[in-house]
C-alpha cells in the first residue's frame, strides 16, 4: 500500500494567531508532516517525526497580494537567518521561519510584534469593512430605485448576504479592538503577549460566498431563454476561479498578480453585461413563453393575424413577485383594434411593499392623469389618454399600457384574472366572454 507523501491544508490562521500558527506547524512535524511551502494552501511532506521549532512573524513590508517571498521578504530573511531563523516560505504578510540555531535570538521585540500584528489586522479589517459597506450601499440603491429589483432573487439575496458579512465584520472589529487593548495592557505590565487568537472565519465565508454566487448565477442562467446565458455565466465563473485557484498554484510575483487583477477588472464587467443582455429579448413568437402570466392579449380579443412580438418574465422571492408581459399582434394600425398589451404586475402579501411600489409608480403621474378606480373597482386607480393605467388593489399593483382604451368587459376580465392569483382578493362576477371577444376589441 502506497503511503501518501504530501498533504495540503487551508491557511486558516489570522495574523493575531501567529503563535498558534507556529505551534500547529511544530505539532505536524512531531507527527511526521513537515511544512514545505504555500501553494494553494499549506503543503506538508511526509518524513520522520521530528521536534522542529517554527516562528511565524507578520512582515510589515509585505502586502496582501504577495503570493511568494518578494525582494523585501528575501532581504528580511537574510537578517533573520543571521539571528538563527531560516525562512521556509512566505505569503501575504506571513513569514514562516524554522529555528536552525540553538542560540537563536528573537526576531522582533514584543512591542514591534504587537505593532506589526495590529497594523496588519486593521488594514485587513478596514479593507473588508469598506468593501462590504460599498457593496451593500450599491445593492441597496439598486433595490430602492428599482421596483423590479426588490423582487429579483439574485439582487435581494446578495443584498442580505452582504449585510450579514458587514455585520460580522463590524463585530469582528469590536473584538479586534478589545484584543489589541488587552495585549497593550499586558506589555505595560511587563508581560509578553501570546498570539493564539487562532482560526479565521474568513475562508469559510469566502467559500460560502463562492457557493452562493454559483447558485445565484445558475439560477439566473436557468431563467434566461436559450443557452447562451449559461455559456457566458460559465465563462464568468471560470474567470473567477482562475483568479482564485491559478494564482494560488502558480504563485506569480506581485507585479504579475496586479496585472491579472487589473485585467479582470477590465474584462469581468463585460462578461457581466453580456450575461445580463444574453439571449433573445422577445423577438417575435420565439420570445419567452406566456403560459405563466396571469392574462394575455388573447384573453381580451380574439386572435387575429400573426403574433409579431411577445415577451414575458417573472421575478419572485419571499417579498412577492413581479410579472412582466408584452404582446403585439397584427393588424399594426391602432385604429384597427386592440393589438398591443404591455403590463407590469407587482404582487406581495406585505402591505408596506405594495405601498412602496405604488409610491414609486405614482411619482410624477399627476398632470394628465384621471381617477379610474370606480371602473376598476380598485382601491386606487389612474388613467392617461385612455391607454395607460395604474391600478392598485390589496396586495397588487398593475401598470398597464395598450394601444387603445379598454372597455368595461375587458377590464372585468383583467380583474378576474388578477383575483385568481394567490395574491388576489375578493371575487368578480362571471363575464360573458362571447360579449367581449370581438375582433375589434369592443363589446359586441
Amino acid at each position: 500500500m502506497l503511503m501518501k507523501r504530501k498533504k495540503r491544508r487551508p491557511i486558516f490562521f489570522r495574523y493575531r494567531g501567529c503563535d498558534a500558527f507556529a505551534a500547529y506547524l511544530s505539532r505536524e512535524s512531531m507527527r511526521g508532516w513537515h511544512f514545505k511551502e504555500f501553494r494553494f494552501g499549506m503543503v506538508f511532506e511526509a518524513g520522520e517525526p521530528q521536534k522542529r521549532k517554527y516562528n511565524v512573524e507578520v512582515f510589515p513590508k509585505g502586502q496582501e497580494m504577495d503570493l511568494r517571498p518578494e525582494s523585501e521578504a528575501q532581504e528580511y530573511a537574510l537578517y533573520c537567518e543571521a539571528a538563527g531563523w531560516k525562512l521556509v516560505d512566505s505569503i501575504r504578510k506571513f513569514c514562516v521561519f524554522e529555528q536552525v540555531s540553538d542560540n537563536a535570538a528573537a526576531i522582533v521585540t514584543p512591542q514591534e510584534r504587537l505593532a506589526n500584528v495590529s497594523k496588519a489586522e486593521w488594514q485587513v479589517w478596514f479593507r473588508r469593512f469598506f468593501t462590504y459597506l460599498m457593496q451593500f450601499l450599491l445593492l441597496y440603491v439598486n433595490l430602492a430605485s428599482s421596483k423590479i429589483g426588490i423582487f429579483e432573487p439574485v439582487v435581494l439575496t446578495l443584498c442580505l448576504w452582504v449585510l450579514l458579512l458587514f455585520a460580522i465584520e463590524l463585530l469582528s472589529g469590536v473584538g479586534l479592538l478589545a484584543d489589541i487593548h488587552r495585549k497593550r495592557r499586558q506589555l505595560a505590565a511587563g508581560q509578553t503577549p501570546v498570539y493564539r487568537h487562532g482560526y479565521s472565519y474568513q475562508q469559510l465565508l469566502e467559500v460560502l460566498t463562492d457557493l452562493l454566487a454559483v447558485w445565484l448565477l445558475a439560477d439566473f442562467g436557468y431563467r434566461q431563454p436559450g443557452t447562451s446565458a449559461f455559456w457566458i455565466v460559465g465563462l464568468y465563473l471560470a474567470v473567477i476561479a482562475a483568479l482564485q485557484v491559478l494564482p494560488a498554484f502558480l504563485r506569480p510575483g506581485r507585479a504579475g498578480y496586479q496585472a491579472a487583477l487589473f485585467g479582470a477588472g477590465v474584462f469581468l464587467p463585460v462578461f457581466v453585461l453580456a450575461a445580463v443582455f444574453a439571449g433573445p429579448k422577445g423577438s417575435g413568437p420565439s420570445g419567452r413563453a406566456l403560459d405563466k402570466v396571469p392574462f394575455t392579449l388573447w384573453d381580451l380579443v380574439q386572435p387575429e393575424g400573426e403574433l409579431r412580438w411577445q415577451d414575458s418574465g417573472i421575478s419572485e422571492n419571499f417579498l412577492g413577485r413581479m410579472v412582466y408581459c408584452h404582446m403585439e399582434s397584427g393588424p399594426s394600425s391602432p385604429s384597427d383594434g386592440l393589438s398591443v398589451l404591455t403590463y407590469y404586475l407587482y404582487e406581495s402579501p406585505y402591505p408596506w411593499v405594495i405601498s412602496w411600489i405604488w409610491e414609486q409608480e405614482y411619482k410624477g403621474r399627476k398632470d394628465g392623469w384621471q381617477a379610474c378606480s370606480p371602473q376598476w373597482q380598485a382601491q386606487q386607480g389612474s388613467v392617461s389618454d385612455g391607454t395607460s393605467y395604474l391600478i392598485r388593489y390589496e396586495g397588487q399593483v398593475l401598470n398597464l399600457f395598450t394601444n387603445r382604451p379598454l372597455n368595461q368587459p375587458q377590464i372585468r376580465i383583467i380583474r378576474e384574472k388578477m383575483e385568481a392569483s394567490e395574491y388576489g382578493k375578493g371575487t368578480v362576477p362571471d363575464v360573458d366572454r362571447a360579449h367581449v371577444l370581438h375582433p375589434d376589441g369592443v363589446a359586441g
Side-chain angles (χ1 to χ4, degrees):
M1 182 176 179
L2 294 177
M3 180 180 177
K4 183 170 65 172
R5 304 301 303 172
K6 288 185 178 182
K7 72 176 183 179
R8 183 175 278 106
R9 294 293 181 267
I11 308 169
F12 42 73
F13 291 97
R14 63 180 71 196
Y15 293 129
R16 280 186 287 163
C18 52
D19 285 335
F21 195 171
Y24 169 77
L25 297 178
S26 297
R27 288 196 303 271
E28 289 297 308
S29 290
M30 294 290 290
R31 298 187 181 108
W33 290 102
H34 307 298
F35 174 68
K36 179 186 177 183
E37 64 177 350
F38 294 108
R39 191 174 295 275
F40 195 58
M42 297 179 287
V43 179
F44 295 86
E45 284 189 341
E48 293 296 325
Q50 295 179 9
K51 186 177 181 180
R52 296 185 180 182
K53 184 175 181 180
Y54 291 92
N55 188 1
V56 178
E57 293 293 343
V58 177
F59 181 46
K61 294 183 180 181
Q63 296 185 14
E64 289 301 309
M65 62 180 60
D66 289 349
L67 301 178
R68 65 184 185 189
E70 296 292 335
S71 58
E72 301 94 335
Q74 294 172 5
E75 294 177 4
Y76 185 56
L78 295 177
Y79 160 78
C80 296
E81 190 166 1
W85 298 94
K86 179 183 177 180
L87 178 67
V88 182
D89 204 356
S90 69
I91 190 170
R92 297 166 52 208
K93 292 179 181 287
F94 277 128
C95 286
V96 177
F97 298 94
E98 181 183 352
Q99 185 175 350
V100 292
S101 173
D102 295 334
N103 299 320
I107 297 176
V108 293
T109 66
Q111 291 78 9
E112 290 173 333
R113 198 176 201 205
L114 177 58
N116 294 340
V117 170
S118 61
K119 181 179 179 181
E121 285 278 4
W122 280 121
Q123 286 176 341
V124 171
W125 185 85
F126 276 111
R127 187 187 71 252
R128 287 203 299 255
F129 179 83
F130 285 106
T131 297
Y132 294 148
L133 177 60
M134 292 304 299
Q135 289 175 346
F136 173 73
L137 291 177
L138 289 173
L139 289 169
Y140 177 77
V141 168
N142 182 282
L143 287 175
S145 61
S146 172
K147 302 175 291 294
I148 299 175
I150 195 174
F151 298 119
E152 175 55 51
V154 172
V155 176
L156 185 60
T157 303
L158 283 177
C159 189
L160 294 176
W161 177 251
V162 172
L163 179 61
L164 175 63
L165 295 179
F166 176 77
I168 292 174
E169 206 60 38
L170 188 63
L171 294 175
S172 174
V174 175
L176 173 59
L177 185 65
D179 187 44
I180 292 177
H181 179 68
R182 182 170 54 252
K183 286 180 168 54
R184 285 175 178 169
R185 292 177 59 185
Q186 291 175 344
L187 282 176
Q191 302 174 355
T192 300
V194 180
Y195 298 85
R196 291 178 179 171
H197 200 91
Y199 301 154
S200 172
Y201 57 82
Q202 191 59 35
Q203 279 206 334
L204 176 61
L205 292 179
E206 290 176 357
V207 171
L208 292 177
T209 300
D210 288 339
L211 292 176
L212 178 65
V214 169
W215 175 72
L216 291 176
L217 288 171
D219 177 71
F220 172 82
Y222 175 77
R223 291 186 286 115
Q224 299 303 306
T227 59
S228 58
F230 278 113
W231 182 85
I232 295 176
V233 169
L235 182 61
Y236 172 81
L237 291 176
V239 174
I240 292 294
L243 289 176
Q244 295 181 357
V245 178
L246 285 181
F249 270 111
L250 302 178
R251 303 184 69 188
R254 185 185 300 168
Y257 194 34
Q258 287 176 335
L261 292 177
F262 176 79
V266 172
F267 291 107
L268 282 182
V270 177
F271 294 142
V272 174
L273 291 174
V276 171
F277 294 104
K281 297 300 180 182
S283 54
S286 63
R288 283 172 273 199
L290 300 170
D291 55 339
K292 294 184 179 181
V293 300
F295 61 93
T296 69
L297 182 63
W298 302 147
D299 293 316
L300 307 179
V301 296
Q302 292 180 349
E304 180 177 320
E306 293 184 356
L307 186 62
R308 297 190 298 112
W309 192 291
Q310 75 174 52
D311 193 16
S312 68
I314 297 178
S315 295
E316 186 172 10
N317 56 38
F318 69 91
L319 292 178
R321 71 173 183 171
M322 186 282 300
V323 181
Y324 163 74
C325 179
H326 175 73
M327 296 180 67
E328 292 185 26
S329 70
S332 59
S333 174
S335 62
D336 291 331
L338 183 64
S339 59
V340 177
L341 175 71
T342 301
Y343 67 84
Y344 295 87
L345 176 61
Y346 308 94
E347 301 179 304
S348 174
Y350 304 105
W352 66 269
V353 174
I354 295 300
S355 297
W356 181 83
I357 292 291
W358 176 260
E359 291 174 1
Q360 295 296 311
E361 287 283 7
Y362 196 71
K363 285 190 303 186
R365 298 198 184 196
K366 297 181 180 179
D367 296 337
W369 287 78
Q370 299 176 344
C372 65
S373 53
Q375 294 92 322
W376 288 80
Q377 297 183 22
Q379 291 179 339
Q380 293 173 281
S382 296
V383 60
S384 176
D385 297 328
T387 58
S388 298
Y389 301 85
L390 185 59
I391 310 298
R392 176 179 179 177
Y393 293 101
E394 182 180 354
Q396 295 172 309
V397 172
L398 175 65
N399 187 5
L400 183 144
F401 308 90
T402 60
N403 67 308
R404 67 173 297 175
L406 298 174
N407 58 42
Q408 196 60 35
Q410 290 171 331
I411 292 175
R412 296 178 67 188
I413 284 183
I414 294 175
R415 289 178 50 227
E416 181 184 47
K417 295 292 185 178
M418 289 176 59
E419 294 193 1
S421 165
E422 61 178 301
Y423 300 96
K425 305 292 183 182
T427 59
V428 178
D430 292 337
V431 178
D432 184 1
R433 291 179 57 80
H435 179 72
V436 177
L437 297 180
H438 192 274
D440 61 1
V442 180

